[in-house]
Amino acid sequence: MGSSPSKPTESAQADHRRSFSEKNSYAPSELSESLAHLRISAPLSADGALTLGHVDDWEDVVAQSPKLQLSRTILNHTNIRETLVSRKAVIADAHVFNTEVDFKTNPITSQKSSGRCWLFATTNVLRYNIMKKLNLGDFQLSQAYLFFWDKLNKSNYFLELSIENADLPIDDRIVDYLSDELISDGGQWDMVVNILETYGVVPQAVYPESLHSSLSSPLNTLLKTKLREHSLILRDLSSSLRANSSLSEDAILQTLRSKKEELLKEVYIIMSATLGAIPKPDEPFTWDYLDKDGKAASWTGTSKQFYKTFAYDKYSPSDSFSLINDPRNEYGKLYTVDKLGNIWGARPVLYVNTQIDDLKQAVVKQIKAGQPVFFGCDVGQFSDRNAGIMDIALFEYEAAFDIKFGLTKADRLRTNESSMTHAMVISGVHLDPAGKPVRYKVENSWGPDVGNKGYFVMSDAWFEQFVYQVVVPKAFAPKELVKVYESGEKVVLPAWDPMGSLA
């Protein structure tokens, strides 16, 4: 907008930051004072319908505001996400960081048209150790390998839940929810640990991308259709078996699982045709490669051996856990989400809820120790994909429309305004002289053509509002939070809770 007067003053930007604070919620005394000053007036429309009188009043407001008239002149023919970018924020969000991990990986990865960000974030973390150990210049683990095993196990998980809930009405909320969110591409940290520990990892050259790993929607649509059909078959069978009073519960369960395995064969056939036959974790493969000096080398072993030999040193994925910041719920508690998982009977999804500063310190400690950090956030909020900036001050919406944003982080979770939508990797942080984070270097999985050659910058204020999860090895977590995690005493959130959203 050039020299337009819509740019907020310093005090306006401070107000903007305060509007995002959890402290913005009213205390009882403040609420009473607010109500005492509330002006009670009769509405223009007694029956609640919108009238032309409302429009006339609102037009009068615009007519008396040169700023709003200027916004109306400009914004009806320009993209607000481009026109209202704050120059001050762009300058402040420099892609410069004074503390970074000691090794840079290549290439920048791309999940393409799929929701596999959590698998890319995981493999982007694991390849740091692999590339250092093997002296590699460019390297990727096979995201498609993890995707295959996750999708197959999620199919089994859904059908096990269908058996478990077969006695519930078909329109029961949990049955309805599970039949909608049955095998998404997304996942959580504990779910990827399940896959890693059970199936290991392989280089991408051993199990390359296919069209349908990079473009997952057609495959997902087909699998969902079959799995919903399978679910109804199991429900009907369960009803028929229970009508026979001579059968024990164990006999019924074993019969249902036998039928389930027969149905899962169709899922495997579809997946192996569209993604490629999958290497088994107990069968050796041979990987020939060139190191960064051009020297040829070869390795032979199983996927589980590759994982345990190269993917980590001191801090194994299985020894790491999720810190979350969810202001709706009590801090210092362990949480899980009902019916959420991928491998049936394996490690559950667990979160330790704590103050946002604990998440920040976990990041700083890991970066200083040379460890990249897996984290989950709501990437679409106040961010610019092309510039690679995530900052709550990035857009001048409040100044241009004469509005204020009043939702707190807890409010956004309660009203479906925000949730954990994306997983990425933090590989650097810029600290002020007092050692407090100012901004973070983020490795995304959207290819090298966005951001700063694939890297994003995240402001500390954005971190506070839209980062929900940081994965931390126990060695870098506060002892009291490790104790909470190891206690196993968990609060179970409903399946549809926003903490059950899959990055």
Side-chain angles (χ1 to χ4, degrees):
M1 294 178 67
S3 58
S4 73
S6 65
K7 190 172 187 292
T9 62
E10 189 74 24
S11 61
Q13 288 189 329
D15 288 342
H16 177 69
R17 288 192 292 271
R18 281 196 296 273
S19 74
F20 279 88
S21 171
E22 291 306 316
K23 296 178 182 179
N24 198 47
S25 298
Y26 289 114
S29 60
E30 294 173 320
L31 182 59
S32 299
E33 184 179 350
S34 176
L35 290 173
H37 291 87
L38 181 65
R39 183 171 62 88
I40 306 298
S41 59
L44 285 178
S45 172
D47 64 2
L50 181 66
T51 70
L52 294 179
H54 293 108
V55 177
D56 290 340
D57 283 357
W58 299 332
E59 279 295 326
D60 287 343
V61 172
V62 176
Q64 296 172 33
S65 171
K67 178 173 68 174
L68 292 178
Q69 292 177 51
L70 180 61
S71 293
R72 179 177 284 185
T73 299
I74 295 171
L75 297 179
N76 72 86
H77 57 82
T78 60
N79 185 330
I80 60 173
R81 290 178 61 85
E82 295 175 356
T83 305
L84 298 180
V85 168
S86 166
R87 176 180 171 87
K88 184 174 182 179
V90 172
I91 293 171
D93 295 324
H95 288 265
V96 176
F97 310 91
N98 55 19
T99 307
E100 297 189 48
V101 293
D102 58 1
F103 185 84
K104 185 174 181 180
T105 58
N106 283 299
I108 288 293
T109 58
S110 176
Q111 66 191 76
K112 298 185 179 177
S113 299
S114 73
R116 299 174 292 160
C117 59
W118 63 301
L119 299 177
F120 277 76
T122 300
T123 53
N124 284 345
V125 167
L126 296 181
R127 68 174 173 169
Y128 274 80
N129 273 314
I130 298 169
M131 293 182 71
K132 284 192 286 187
K133 287 181 178 180
L134 297 177
N135 190 36
L136 302 176
D138 287 315
F139 177 76
Q140 289 190 64
L141 286 166
S142 173
Q143 302 90 0
Y145 178 81
L146 301 179
F147 180 69
F148 187 106
W149 288 120
D150 175 68
K151 190 75 69 178
L152 186 61
N153 275 280
K154 278 178 180 165
S155 299
N156 180 64
Y157 198 95
F158 171 70
L159 293 182
E160 281 289 333
L161 288 174
S162 297
I163 294 172
E164 186 178 275
N165 299 315
D167 59 333
L168 296 176
I170 192 71
D171 59 354
D172 183 89
R173 184 175 184 183
I174 189 64
V175 174
D176 179 73
Y177 177 81
L178 293 173
S179 66
D180 184 46
E181 297 291 332
L182 61 165
I183 51 160
S184 77
D185 287 357
Q188 270 298 339
W189 177 254
D190 297 289
M191 294 163 70
V192 81
V193 170
N194 288 338
I195 299 296
L196 293 172
E197 292 293 316
T198 306
Y199 300 103
V201 292
V202 299
Q204 193 179 78
V206 173
Y207 192 71
E209 286 287 293
S210 70
L211 175 65
H212 290 292
S213 62
S214 298
L215 177 66
S216 60
S217 178
L219 173 60
N220 286 338
T221 298
L222 179 57
L223 290 178
K224 286 179 180 180
T225 298
K226 288 305 301 179
L227 286 167
R228 288 172 180 139
E229 176 187 334
H230 294 164
S231 176
L232 289 178
I233 291 171
L234 291 172
R235 286 178 65 87
D236 290 343
L237 178 58
S238 175
S239 179
S240 298
L241 292 172
R242 284 188 164 82
N244 185 342
S245 58
S246 66
L247 292 173
S248 68
E249 279 300 314
D250 184 64
I252 291 172
L253 179 59
Q254 296 309 312
T255 303
L256 288 169
R257 281 183 166 162
S258 177
K259 183 63 177 178
K260 179 204 69 175
E261 291 167 1
E262 176 188 326
L263 297 171
L264 275 173
K265 178 181 66 175
E266 294 185 340
V267 173
Y268 178 81
I269 288 171
I270 292 169
M271 289 184 58
S272 60
T274 54
L275 299 175
I278 191 78
K280 294 183 178 67
D282 56 354
E283 292 182 356
F285 65 88
T286 296
W287 173 49
D288 299 322
Y289 64 94
L290 295 174
D291 69 13
K292 67 180 180 181
D293 299 320
K295 183 180 178 181
S298 184
W299 186 88
T300 298
T302 68
S303 58
K304 293 179 75 171
Q305 289 170 338
F306 189 88
Y307 168 62
K308 293 184 181 298
T309 301
F310 299 115
Y312 60 89
D313 284 322
K314 299 179 185 176
Y315 315 110
S316 73
S318 63
D319 199 43
S320 299
F321 68 100
S322 295
L323 299 178
I324 61 165
N325 178 242
D326 176 2
R328 301 170 307 156
N329 292 309
E330 186 179 353
Y331 292 142
K333 296 285 187 181
L334 183 66
Y335 293 86
T336 189
V337 178
D338 193 26
K339 315 295 189 215
L340 182 62
N342 56 355
I343 295 183
W344 190 255
R347 171 172 167 157
V349 173
L350 296 173
Y351 306 122
V352 175
N353 193 27
T354 188
Q355 301 279 353
I356 194 68
D357 282 347
D358 288 331
L359 276 69
K360 293 182 185 181
Q361 288 308 307
V363 169
V364 173
K365 285 181 180 179
Q366 290 183 78
I367 297 301
K368 286 183 174 180
Q371 296 293 315
V373 183
F374 178 112
F375 78 106
C377 66
D378 190 358
V379 72
Q381 300 273 5
F382 295 89
S383 64
D384 186 299
R385 177 189 184 99
N386 293 324
I389 294 175
M390 297 175 285
D391 189 339
I392 62 173
L394 184 58
F395 302 110
E396 307 275 16
Y397 294 143
E398 292 185 329
F401 301 112
D402 202 15
I403 59 173
K404 289 289 182 184
F405 291 111
L407 293 178
T408 64
K409 192 173 191 177
D411 291 337
R412 293 187 214 104
L413 289 168
R414 284 192 290 259
T415 59
N416 298 314
E417 169 65 18
S418 182
S419 64
M420 208 180 325
T421 62
H422 194 51
M424 296 181 283
V425 177
I426 297 174
S427 60
V429 61
H430 193 76
L431 303 174
D432 68 13
K436 294 183 178 181
V438 176
R439 56 184 178 267
Y440 307 80
K441 182 179 182 179
V442 176
E443 181 182 357
N444 205 344
S445 55
W446 291 349
D449 297 329
V450 297
N452 182 17
K453 298 179 181 178
Y455 287 90
F456 281 47
V457 58
M458 170 174 58
S459 74
D460 187 61
W462 196 95
F463 185 111
E464 290 186 356
Q465 295 304 317
F466 297 113
V467 167
Y468 293 103
Q469 171 195 32
V470 164
V471 171
V472 57
K474 292 178 184 178
F476 295 108
K479 291 181 180 178
E480 65 273 16
L481 297 183
V482 175
K483 190 174 181 180
V484 171
Y485 174 72
E486 293 179 339
S487 73
E489 298 175 4
K490 52 187 179 291
V491 177
V492 181
L493 300 172
W496 43 83
D497 189 269
M499 284 298 114
S501 62
L502 299 180

